[in-house]
């Protein structure tokens, strides 16, 4: 059996999603009390979902990926709020947080090079991709076991994207 037939078999077994369910049931009461702006953020997530999903030119695969990605982002958002609410010792109380440096740019314009150069500075901490995708709980760079677990999840996600025919997505 060739690879294309295998991918077709896997894709035919998938159930594509067409809607998003946002729920704050797993948001702790402490987080709700500390972060009163949560309802505003939830309404922005819902608005974003309504706007994108109302586009009739979105393919079933694109709709499925969007639903999955947006729900994952909302879950990460709630995980961060819960973590901060449960670990008040991690809050910075005496030192002002300076604005972060956010790099963005078109492909082939040097953003990756600049990111890597800034990451070489010991005074800076550049997030790894898995730190961005799975921010909670924070994992120290020296924690090889948990880093390996995140890398395994990443390879599983890549396999799923490959099965959908989206290896380069």
């Amino acid at each position: 059996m060739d690879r294309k037939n295998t991918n077709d078999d896997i894709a035919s077994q998938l159930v594509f999603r067409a809607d998003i369910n946002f729920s704050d049931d797993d948001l702790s009461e402490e987080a709700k009390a500390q972060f009163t702006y949560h309802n505003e953020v939830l309404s922005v997530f819902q608005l974003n979902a309504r706007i994108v999903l109302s586009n009739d030119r979105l393919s079933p695969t694109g709709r499925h990926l969007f639903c999955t990605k947006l729900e994952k982002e909302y879950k990460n958002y709630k995980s961060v709020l819960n973590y901060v609410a449960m670990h008040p010792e991690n809050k910075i109380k005496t030192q002002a947080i300076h604005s972060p440096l956010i790099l963005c740019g078109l492909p082939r314009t040097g953003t990756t090079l600049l990111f890597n150069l800034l990451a070489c500075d010991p005074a800076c901490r550049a997030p790894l991709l898995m730190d961005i995708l799975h921010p909670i709980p924070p994992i120290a760079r020296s924690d090889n076991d948990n880093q390996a677990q995140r890398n395994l999840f990443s390879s599983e996600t890549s396999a799923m994207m490959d099965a959908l025919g989206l290896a380069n997505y």
Side-chain angles (χ1 to χ4, degrees):
M1 181 181 273
D2 65 19
R3 185 180 176 121
K4 175 143 177 50
N5 289 339
T6 303
N7 288 346
D8 290 343
D9 291 341
I10 293 171
S12 68
Q13 296 171 4
L14 294 175
V15 175
F16 288 112
R17 301 179 53 195
D19 199 10
I20 301 174
N21 181 23
F22 295 114
S23 171
D24 64 355
D25 294 344
D26 54 344
L27 189 63
S28 70
E29 293 303 319
E30 295 88 2
K32 289 178 183 177
Q34 283 184 18
F35 306 106
T36 55
Y37 55 81
H38 167 69
N39 288 331
E40 294 173 37
V41 174
L42 174 60
S43 64
V44 170
F45 270 97
Q46 291 168 333
L47 176 64
N48 188 6
R50 276 195 311 273
I51 290 170
V52 173
L53 294 176
S54 67
N55 184 343
D56 60 349
R57 293 181 287 167
L58 194 61
S59 71
T61 303
R63 189 174 302 278
H64 175 80
L65 290 172
F66 175 77
C67 291
T68 303
K69 178 71 174 164
L70 198 61
E71 274 188 3
K72 177 65 178 159
E73 294 299 326
Y74 185 64
K75 182 179 176 184
N76 279 347
Y77 162 74
K78 293 186 297 184
S79 296
V80 169
L81 294 186
N82 284 333
Y83 184 83
V84 172
M86 297 302 291
H87 297 88
E89 69 276 6
N90 291 336
K91 290 183 182 176
I92 297 175
K93 297 176 183 169
T94 59
Q95 181 181 5
I97 298 175
H98 300 286
S99 300
L101 177 61
I102 299 173
L103 299 177
C104 59
L106 296 172
R108 310 299 308 156
T109 60
T111 52
T112 302
L113 175 64
L114 181 57
F115 178 87
N116 290 335
L117 286 171
L118 291 170
C120 291
D121 183 356
C124 295
R125 184 179 186 291
L128 300 172
L129 176 62
M130 295 312 292
D131 293 336
I132 295 168
L133 297 177
H134 305 284
I136 299 299
I139 297 177
R141 296 282 166 84
S142 59
D143 187 348
N144 292 332
D145 292 336
N146 282 324
Q147 290 292 351
Q149 186 177 11
R150 281 193 180 170
N151 291 340
L152 176 64
F153 175 80
S154 176
S155 64
E156 291 170 354
T157 302
S158 296
M160 181 191 73
M161 297 297 277
D162 191 32
L164 290 171
L166 302 168
N168 296 324
Y169 179 72

